[in-house]
Amino acid sequence: YGLDELEDLYLGLHYGITDRIQLGVSRTKGSGVQRQLVNAELKLNVLKQSDSTNRMPVGIAFSHVTTASFQLASRDPESMTYFGEMAHRFSYTSQLVISRRYSRHFSMQALGGYQHRNVAPLAEDNGLFFAGLAAQLSISDHWAFIFDGIYPISDDRSRELGDFPVLGAGITYQRPCGDRWVLEFANTSGLIENDFIPYSQSDIQAGEIRVGLTFIKPFFTKNKVSEK
């Protein structure tokens, strides 16, 4: 339908099996070396922040993404898309997210994780650790500003080699029915962790900023089915 003319496109469906377990599957075009990505996603709500007591001051969640590239294989054995084995198409990202809602207007998240690519550039290790921060500042019941950043931790990556932290900021609008729109500005065009964390090579100081628009539609709530 011409959607792949965009820099990247995320189409996903997520289902909450329980209040603590969510499974998802998505498709992204990809912006790194490997393209035509299919992603399997898992999110676990390990601990919930207490609303009225200090017994649990933070929330803790775990997420995992397995990504497979379905692009045509290259004939060059030195290419990352040669795919000598089926396993070379896969990459994995696991992360732990610690969040705290300080008030109805402000909340923060800190995250740390590990990413593994079965095929990586010759100058880089297959494994990559990363850390990040995110914040949300609500200005009303419907509007909020968001800020986030992720820093890959590796001696193989540097600004001189063209590698940069992932930085983003945006604004969100949520309708009373739960529909949510997010307009974000970031220095990466990838939309899934396995793609944008290792291939962030845009310098925000040089004006290399991309604009993304996200629409999230909840079809089911805990007590009722929302209108389509």
Side-chain angles (χ1 to χ4, degrees):
Y1 301 104
L3 295 175
D4 270 358
E5 295 304 314
L6 299 172
E7 184 70 22
D8 202 355
L9 176 74
Y10 178 104
L11 291 173
L13 180 66
H14 300 86
Y15 182 75
I17 299 176
T18 69
D19 289 344
R20 294 181 179 271
I21 303 174
Q22 177 179 283
L23 297 177
V25 62
S26 62
R27 188 268 185 188
T28 51
K29 175 183 175 181
S31 66
V33 178
Q34 298 181 351
R35 303 294 182 98
Q36 306 302 327
L37 309 178
V38 174
N39 316 289
E41 304 174 48
L42 167 68
K43 293 183 180 179
L44 302 177
N45 189 352
V46 181
L47 293 173
K48 293 184 179 180
Q49 179 179 342
S50 301
D51 294 331
S52 57
T53 68
N54 290 323
R55 294 180 180 178
M56 183 51 60
V58 298
I60 300 177
F62 170 83
S63 73
H64 176 83
V65 179
T66 295
T67 294
S69 170
F70 285 89
Q71 76 178 85
L72 293 176
S74 168
R75 295 183 179 181
D76 181 3
E78 297 184 359
S79 171
M80 285 184 58
T81 59
Y82 176 67
F83 303 134
E85 301 177 13
M86 183 63 185
H88 294 168
R89 294 180 178 270
F90 285 84
S91 62
Y92 314 90
T93 297
S94 297
Q95 59 184 318
L96 195 66
V97 181
I98 301 175
S99 61
R100 177 171 173 80
R101 187 177 182 88
Y102 291 90
S103 69
R104 62 189 298 263
H105 296 292
F106 183 70
S107 58
M108 286 193 67
Q109 290 183 340
L111 62 90
Y114 175 79
Q115 181 175 98
H116 183 86
R117 292 172 288 172
N118 286 340
V119 174
L122 293 177
E124 298 184 23
D125 293 331
N126 294 79
L128 178 66
F129 289 95
F130 60 90
L133 287 173
Q136 176 172 302
L137 178 63
S138 301
I139 54 179
S140 72
D141 291 337
H142 304 293
W143 292 92
F145 291 105
I146 55 173
F147 310 90
D148 55 15
I150 295 179
Y151 182 79
I153 304 171
S154 172
D155 294 334
D156 301 325
R157 302 170 63 88
S158 68
R159 186 184 184 93
E160 290 71 23
L161 295 175
D163 302 307
F164 300 91
V166 181
L167 300 173
I171 187 169
T172 74
Y173 171 71
Q174 183 164 328
R175 299 176 60 198
C177 65
D179 293 356
R180 188 181 184 194
W181 292 88
V182 183
L183 179 65
E184 187 168 15
F185 303 86
N187 67 329
T188 180
S189 53
L191 298 177
I192 197 76
E193 291 91 338
N194 298 23
D195 190 40
F196 69 73
I197 291 178
Y199 305 117
S200 175
Q201 297 182 323
S202 297
D203 186 0
I204 226 170
Q205 295 181 357
E208 297 175 344
I209 301 173
R210 293 174 171 84
V211 180
L213 181 64
T214 301
F215 175 65
I216 303 170
K217 172 67 178 179
F219 291 99
F220 299 93
T221 63
K222 188 173 183 179
N223 299 317
K224 64 180 181 179
V225 178
S226 60
E227 295 181 358
K228 294 184 180 180

